[in-house]
Amino acid sequence: LAKTTQPISMDSYEGQEVNITCSHNNIATNDYITWYQQFPSQGPRFIIQGYKTKVTNEVASLFIPADRKSSTLSLPRVSLSDTAVYYCLVGDREGGSYIPTFGRGTSLIVHP
Amino acid sequence: DSGVTQTPKHLITATGQRVTLRCSPRSGDLSVYWYQQSLDQGLQFLIQYYNGEERAKGNILERFSAQQFPDLHSELNLSSLELGDSALYFCASSPPGYEAGGPNTQYFGPGTRLTVL
C-alpha cells in the first residue's frame, strides 16, 4: 500500500509561510497527490492536488519534485484559522478501484 | 458545505446493538467511501462503492457492512457494537474520472459521531 510520512506537528506564527512536506516513496506512476485540511470534529476538506511540478490555487501551493517521492504544501501568510490537521494522500489503484491510505497527518498550530 | 450529507449527526447506543449510518453523495458523484476516525487510529478507510457495486475494501470488520442504493445514497451498518467502535464515521464521495487515470478528489461529509456505552 502507498504510505505517506509527515511531521506529526508544526508550530508557526500569524503572517508566516508554512511548508509541510510529505514523503511518499512508493507512489504509483499514475497517482496524484492530494492534500486535505481537517478541523476538530469536522470532515477533511480538499485543499489542493497535483501530479508533478507546481500547482497553485487561492489558498495554497503544492510543490512536487521530478521524482515525485515527496511533496510540499505551502501555506502563505497563515492565520489563526489555519490551525488544523493537514493530510497528504496518495492512493493505490487496483483494477479501477482506488484505495486511499491517510497517514496520521500534521497538526499545525498557528500562534498569535 | 461539501454537498455530502450524513445522518444522524450523533448516535448513542449500547454494546451489542446494531446501528445504521446514512450518506448521500454530491450530485453527480458515483463513488462513496466510508471512513472511521478514532483518536488512536487516525482516519481509516473502510470500504468504497461505485455506482451500486463494492469496489474496494480497507480495514472493515466483519461486523460492519455497507451498501449503495440505486439512488446512490449509501448506508453503513454496524452490528454487535463494542466500546471500541466509538468513533467518528465519515463518508466521502468523488466524481467519476479517476477510473480512466484522472485524479481522485474526495468530498467529505460532516460525519456521524457514534458513542457506544
Side-chain angles (χ1 to χ4, degrees), chain B residues 58-96:
Chain B
N59 302 318
I60 188 166
L61 300 172
E62 286 191 12
R63 300 184 284 110
F64 296 0
S65 65
Q67 54 184 325
Q68 186 178 28
F69 295 87
D71 67 352
L72 300 177
H73 91 271
S74 178
E75 292 180 357
L76 179 67
N77 301 296
L78 314 177
S79 61
S80 303
L81 285 168
E82 302 174 359
L83 296 178
D85 298 326
S86 295
L88 270 167
Y89 290 84
F90 292 106
C91 84
S93 71
S94 66

Side-chain angles (χ1 to χ4, degrees), chain A residues 30-32 34 36 38 40-46 49 87 89 93-104, chain B residues 33 35 37 39-43 45 48 55-57 88 90 98-99 101-110 113:
Chain A
N30 58 353
D31 205 7
Y32 288 70
T34 310
Y36 293 86
Q38 186 179 28
S41 298
Q42 294 186 25
R45 183 176 73 99
F46 171 82
Q49 182 176 72
Y87 296 94
L89 174 67
R93 294 178 186 269
E94 296 180 7
S97 66
Y98 181 85
I99 300 177
T101 304
F102 280 86
R104 297 308 298 266
Chain B
Y33 302 78
Y35 293 86
Q37 187 173 41
L39 283 175
D40 59 345
Q41 290 292 326
L43 202 59
F45 166 66
Q48 178 210 356
R55 186 61 72 91
K57 261 186 173 179
L88 270 167
F90 292 106
Y98 71 87
E99 304 86 356
N104 180 290
T105 306
Q106 297 187 29
Y107 298 89
F108 284 78
R113 182 176 292 281

Side-chain angles (χ1 to χ4, degrees), chain A residues 41-98:
Chain A
S41 298
Q42 294 186 25
R45 183 176 73 99
F46 171 82
I47 301 176
I48 197 166
Q49 182 176 72
Y51 183 78
K52 60 181 179 180
T53 63
K54 178 184 174 182
V55 179
T56 297
N57 62 21
E58 63 276 7
V59 299
S61 294
L62 180 60
F63 300 91
I64 305 169
D67 66 6
R68 302 196 339 115
K69 293 183 183 298
S70 67
S71 59
T72 299
L73 173 71
S74 181
L75 304 172
R77 298 180 299 282
V78 294
S79 64
L80 297 177
S81 63
D82 293 316
T83 294
V85 178
Y86 293 82
Y87 296 94
C88 82
L89 174 67
V90 298
D92 290 288
R93 294 178 186 269
E94 296 180 7
S97 66
Y98 181 85

